[in-house]
Amino acid sequence: MDKHRLALTVLTLLPLVVACGTGAASDGSSGSASAGTGSASAGTGSVVRRTDPSSVTGVHWRVDSLSSGGTTRKAPDGAYLRIDDHGRAHGNYGCNSFGAAAAFRDGRIDFGPAEATDMACAKEPMAFESAFSRALAGRSLAAAVDHGRLTLTTENGDRVRLTREGDASLHGTRWRITALVDKDVASSLPAAAAGKAWFTLDRKAGTASGSLGCNRFTARATVRDRHLTLSSPRTTRKMCDGSLMSVERNLTERLARPLSYRLTHRGITLTSENGKGVQAAAER
């Protein structure tokens, strides 16, 4: 089980410039949104209006894919970009989270140096992270927003495709457990358990149900004052391999305590008074 200390380190992110539709954009769109004009994207036939700050800021943009050099990479779960109304941007490259100053200027967005977590992940997410950061750093990207989708295009034709995504609800969401937390340390689940441990809360029934990695469970769930308390769970009686059973015992122990919860868009952290808990992500 890999353990990664979530210590912030300063990375240098060269200014990222996102073209906001002034003049002729690389996707062929032009015109002013305020004037109600626009032009069709080349080869698509859809009308893409000028992209202004209000159509980009305050939105959680899930990163879907990156196309570069004739190859399209699918983004790992959790990769995103968000720019707020106070000159700050934050996101996730595919493994590590980052934050930076952001300023709209002359139809562009200037990003300052970034602070990022320093975690090592599996080979595939790290490969995407490397390609994604290269596509953003020091580049001028044309930005096109159309029907809840954002496309960022570099001067050499590399494209990052993103989708507007709403916040997940505490209830009714299938929360996939991704890590075990011990104060400021998060430990990823073993590969054998990845994607197999999850839970969902039913507001009407007042229950929690899901999988502990091997066995399914149900329990009474009380949600009050941003705290979650589960009763002793009823579980199935399957036997799985040693790593899954170890994860299951660990999760059972952690979920048996009263837990405070913190929602962050499509993520949730459950933590007990002793600092132990779990992290989970909303499934798409």
Side-chain angles (χ1 to χ4, degrees):
M1 184 176 293
D2 297 329
K3 293 189 175 180
H4 313 300
R5 186 163 298 276
L6 305 180
L8 288 180
T9 60
V10 177
L11 301 182
T12 299
L13 180 65
L14 296 177
L16 164 65
V17 183
V18 180
C20 293
T22 58
S26 62
D27 64 354
S29 62
S30 63
S32 169
S34 61
T37 60
S39 63
S41 297
T44 65
S46 62
V47 174
V48 179
R49 301 190 182 281
R50 175 181 173 180
T51 302
D52 58 60
S54 65
S55 65
V56 177
T57 57
V59 176
H60 184 104
W61 295 105
R62 183 189 75 217
V63 181
D64 295 322
S65 65
L66 168 64
S67 298
S68 177
T71 300
T72 297
R73 298 173 183 265
K74 182 180 177 182
D77 288 347
Y80 77 94
L81 173 68
R82 186 178 186 118
I83 304 169
D84 64 26
D85 296 322
H86 306 289
R88 292 294 301 174
H90 56 90
N92 186 286
Y93 292 129
C95 173
N96 285 286
S97 299
F98 68 90
F104 285 86
R105 179 177 58 83
D106 298 330
R108 298 175 182 273
I109 308 173
D110 294 335
F111 287 77
E115 290 184 339
T117 54
D118 186 20
M119 296 196 303
C121 295
K123 182 178 180 180
E124 189 172 341
M126 292 303 291
F128 182 88
E129 175 163 310
S130 178
F132 187 23
S133 60
R134 287 198 306 268
L136 298 184
R139 300 294 189 100
S140 179
L141 292 92
V145 178
D146 186 28
H147 294 91
R149 296 184 182 276
L150 171 64
T151 302
L152 304 177
T153 307
T154 68
E155 68 280 0
N156 62 358
D158 294 348
R159 292 193 173 191
V160 182
R161 295 177 174 84
L162 308 94
T163 299
R164 184 186 188 108
E165 192 173 61
D167 293 343
S169 171
L170 175 65
H171 294 89
T173 297
R174 180 167 163 140
W175 295 104
R176 177 172 44 83
I177 298 174
T178 57
L180 304 177
V181 176
D182 189 352
K183 298 180 181 176
D184 61 345
V185 176
S187 304
S188 58
L189 296 183
K196 295 181 179 179
W198 60 273
F199 67 91
T200 188
L201 299 172
D202 187 320
R203 185 195 302 271
K204 185 176 181 179
T207 59
S209 60
S211 170
L212 296 168
C214 175
N215 286 284
R216 299 289 296 268
F217 79 93
T218 59
R220 299 292 300 175
T222 302
V223 178
R224 183 179 295 115
D225 298 328
R226 304 198 71 79
H227 282 76
L228 170 66
T229 303
L230 302 182
S231 67
S232 297
R234 297 172 56 189
T235 67
T236 55
R237 299 292 183 180
K238 289 197 310 180
M239 292 297 295
C240 298
D241 64 44
S243 61
L244 280 179
M245 296 307 295
S246 177
V247 169
E248 182 159 303
R249 286 191 295 270
N250 204 332
L251 288 176
T252 300
E253 179 183 346
R254 288 165 186 259
L255 295 177
R257 300 171 179 269
L259 301 161
S260 63
Y261 68 87
R262 179 171 60 89
L263 290 167
T264 54
H265 180 61
R266 298 188 68 79
I268 188 171
T269 301
L270 301 171
T271 313
S272 64
E273 287 186 353
N274 66 5
K276 293 187 176 182
V278 300
Q279 291 178 347
E283 294 191 351
R284 295 181 182 176

